[in-house]
Amino acid sequence: MESQIHKIHQQLVNKEISCTKLVQERLDLLKSNTHNTVNSLLDTLALELAAKVDAKIENGEEIGLLEGIPFGIKDVYMVQGTLTTASSDLLKQYKSPYTATAIQKLFDAGAIPLVKENCDSFGHGSSSENTIFGAVKNAINPELVSGGSSGGSAVNVAKDFTVFSIGGDTGGSVRQPAGYNKIYGLKPTYGRISRFGLMAYASSTDCVGPIAKSIEDIRIVLNVMSGKDIKDQTTYQSEKISQENILKSDEIKTIGYFKNFIENDAIDAQVKSDFLASIEKIKAKGIEVKELDFFESDTLVSTYYTLAMAETASNLSRLDGTNYGNRIEGDNLKDTYSITRSENFSEETKRRIVGGNQVLSQGFSDEIYLKGLNLRDQISENFEKDFKEVDIILSPVTPNSPPKIGDSLKDPLAMYLSDAYTVGFSLGQLPTITVPQGTETGLQITAAKNNDELVLKFANFLKDTI
């Protein structure tokens, strides 16, 4: 698909549409949608900003590429003065006192926020069913889940309710719903975009990620949000990625895939067959393909959830009703903490906090947590070795197709295993994009750290190849 951002920009400049009309049409679509994608609409703010864009155009002033472009925000980002619920009972009435750096950069570029989007509560889930706003329904088949945790953001893009959306990816939370809804979703290199103002789930893997219908729109939004931020010490200064550069993929000579992902009993036969067919099409273009050895997917999932749960327990310990959220009084302070957290957290969030506290508890931390850290180091070393042999690693996004709504809630282990092909790249902090080609839930393209440009190049190559 062509860039929606370029198309709308030209329509605004040529006065073929007004920004106010454009924003009102998208707000109407969001209001009437039955996919449960909306936590709150930012209609007053959006229409005020749209009127300012129209006034600039009317006065003959030049507008930037993102000015007047409507977008959505996963409801885990701070936007000053707006409700930021994390789809939870605990923060149902919480209003942000400030704006996240990544979102502020989009505001500064003139993009117009329409909606805070439904998601798994605190990002805890792989289906976008663990939410107080109702399970998000898949954009293609509403009987299926949208994927999680950025399900609302993915569906809004897939249904054209927003031009692009900003999700958050910890273990696959942008890439998996992008695959389930057949659009693009990028997890950039860890630290490329500031996490300041994104509610922390697992701080060592949390990433801000754009979701859109074209590679060009992903590139534009990525460039705007990237850069060093003094409020997030993990960030670094990065070069802008040019449109011209990502159209040339000549430098990509060799790709690899993990044979244990494909030879695994857990992979759906059709996903496996489609993936191998894609590999043959790539070979036919003269690119060398290598099979790579990697950790078993069970090991990746165990390592990821061990560390993610430990970080969750630590990050969410401050949410006790004292400084944040819906406080429920008990007989004493200890009871108040207990009741507030028990009544307001979802079952999935409580499961992760209990698991995390077990990992960190005295007598277990050496045996479990330090072992997890050691495995993460080994995974990173494995990636470094692989990227000396290949330019790109290609993989299915998920081993199976999207489940029906309700099935994941009955079987949390199956839900965790749906992340089997995404969590390893999160542990490696590598740039990875989902593209809507190759298998029912798309393909995943990964490059070495700081090579975000290369994943966009190969995404363009695949768009024209498969």
Side-chain angles (χ1 to χ4, degrees):
M1 170 174 277
E2 65 178 319
S3 162
Q4 295 299 292
I5 292 174
H6 282 292
K7 181 181 172 187
I8 292 171
H9 173 73
Q10 209 53 53
Q11 288 174 329
L12 289 171
V13 170
N14 295 342
K15 298 184 181 179
E16 293 167 19
I17 53 169
S18 77
C19 190
T20 300
K21 184 167 185 285
L22 168 71
V23 166
Q24 189 60 64
E25 284 176 353
R26 303 287 174 132
L27 286 170
D28 290 344
L29 288 172
L30 284 162
K31 277 180 193 168
S32 60
N33 99 84
T34 56
H35 288 262
N36 295 330
T37 62
V38 177
N39 285 4
S40 59
L41 284 177
L42 308 177
D43 43 359
T44 302
L45 173 62
L47 289 168
E48 283 176 4
L49 293 172
K52 289 180 182 176
V53 174
D54 283 335
K56 281 184 75 172
I57 295 169
E58 201 55 43
N59 291 335
E61 296 177 48
E62 191 175 333
I63 61 168
L65 189 56
L66 273 184
E67 270 189 276
I69 304 297
F71 76 106
I73 306 167
K74 184 179 181 179
D75 201 9
V76 290
Y77 287 94
M78 300 295 165
V79 178
Q80 190 173 32
T82 69
L83 289 170
T84 303
T85 72
S87 297
S88 71
D89 274 321
L90 188 71
L91 299 177
K92 200 171 181 178
Q93 301 302 323
Y94 179 73
K95 282 194 173 179
S96 308
Y98 61 92
T99 299
T101 298
I103 306 301
Q104 186 61 53
K105 286 185 172 186
L106 293 170
F107 288 178
D108 293 344
I112 296 185
L114 299 187
V115 56
K116 300 297 276 296
E117 296 167 321
N118 201 358
C119 56
D120 281 308
S121 182
F122 295 102
H124 297 159
S126 305
S127 64
S128 289
E129 293 173 284
N130 298 299
T131 159
I132 62 169
F133 295 100
V136 183
K137 298 175 186 175
N138 189 287
I140 299 152
N141 180 350
E143 291 185 0
L144 307 179
V145 304
S146 61
S149 62
S150 308
S153 305
V155 172
N156 281 339
V157 170
K159 299 291 287 184
D160 290 323
F161 301 154
T162 60
V163 175
F164 67 91
S165 285
I166 305 303
D169 191 307
T170 304
S173 305
V174 161
R175 290 163 286 156
Q176 192 217 59
Y180 280 1
N181 295 282
K182 298 191 184 302
I183 50 178
Y184 293 91
L186 172 70
K187 185 195 84 63
T189 301
Y190 180 79
R192 186 180 181 100
I193 301 175
S194 171
R195 292 171 294 116
F196 178 75
L198 163 64
M199 282 189 199
Y201 160 19
S203 306
S204 66
T205 53
D206 285 341
C207 286
V208 178
I211 300 171
K213 276 191 164 177
S214 76
I215 301 160
E216 172 62 1
D217 289 351
I218 292 278
R219 182 194 70 84
I220 293 167
V221 176
L222 175 67
N223 277 343
V224 169
M225 293 194 296
S226 298
K228 180 79 177 167
D229 180 12
I230 58 171
K231 297 170 185 168
D232 179 352
Q233 294 303 309
T234 64
T235 54
Y236 62 92
Q237 197 60 46
S238 54
E239 294 287 327
K240 281 194 182 299
I241 299 172
S242 73
Q243 184 179 14
E244 185 184 19
N245 275 2
I246 67 169
L247 296 176
K248 295 179 286 188
S249 60
D250 297 351
E251 69 195 86
I252 299 170
K253 306 292 184 192
T254 310
I255 74 157
Y257 70 91
F258 296 127
K259 60 185 177 187
N260 61 310
F261 277 16
I262 305 307
E263 293 170 359
N264 196 310
D265 291 340
I267 190 171
D268 177 86
Q270 190 63 50
V271 173
K272 177 178 178 177
S273 166
D274 291 344
F275 179 80
L276 292 174
S278 299
I279 289 291
E280 291 306 315
K281 289 177 183 172
I282 292 167
K283 280 182 184 173
K285 291 287 184 181
I287 292 179
E288 185 183 358
V289 178
K290 290 186 176 180
E291 291 182 342
L292 302 170
D293 291 319
F294 199 44
F295 293 81
E296 293 297 325
S297 50
D298 288 354
T299 304
L300 297 174
V301 171
S302 302
T303 304
Y304 169 75
Y305 276 102
T306 296
L307 299 177
M309 286 184 179
E311 293 182 32
T312 293
S314 176
N315 281 327
L316 267 57
S317 62
R318 66 184 181 277
L319 298 179
D320 55 18
T322 303
N323 293 311
Y324 306 102
N326 178 35
R327 181 184 178 97
I328 302 175
E329 295 291 345
D331 293 335
N332 51 51
L333 188 59
K334 189 178 175 183
D335 275 354
T336 298
Y337 288 163
S338 176
I339 297 169
T340 295
R341 288 165 68 83
S342 294
E343 295 295 321
N344 285 312
F345 281 138
S346 70
E347 290 306 308
E348 184 55 37
T349 293
K350 284 188 275 191
R351 189 177 295 122
R352 296 185 187 209
I353 290 173
V354 169
N357 283 328
Q358 175 75 4
V359 168
L360 295 173
S361 61
Q362 193 171 15
F364 287 94
S365 60
D366 286 358
E367 188 179 341
I368 304 175
Y369 184 64
L370 295 181
K371 202 173 186 178
L373 290 177
N374 180 265
L375 269 167
R376 183 171 67 185
D377 291 343
Q378 290 182 44
I379 290 166
S380 290
E381 288 168 10
N382 200 96
F383 281 128
E384 286 179 19
K385 178 175 68 67
D386 288 339
F387 284 116
K388 288 177 182 169
E389 294 186 32
V390 301
D391 302 310
I392 288 289
I393 293 174
L394 193 67
S395 53
V397 179
T398 61
N400 301 99
S401 51
K404 285 189 174 179
I405 289 176
D407 287 356
S408 296
L409 298 177
K410 295 175 196 164
D411 189 352
L413 180 59
M415 181 182 71
Y416 298 158
L417 290 174
S418 71
D419 297 335
Y421 294 170
T422 54
V423 293
F425 304 119
S426 296
L427 292 168
Q429 303 186 333
L430 305 173
T432 307
I433 192 171
T434 288
V435 299
Q437 291 110 23
T439 79
E440 185 183 351
T441 58
L443 292 172
Q444 212 175 186
I445 301 165
T446 305
K449 276 184 188 175
N450 307 327
N451 276 333
D452 303 63
E453 182 176 281
L454 202 61
V455 300
L456 298 184
K457 281 184 182 183
F458 199 67
N460 259 318
F461 168 79
L462 282 191
K463 178 168 66 67
D464 300 329
T465 302
I466 297 177

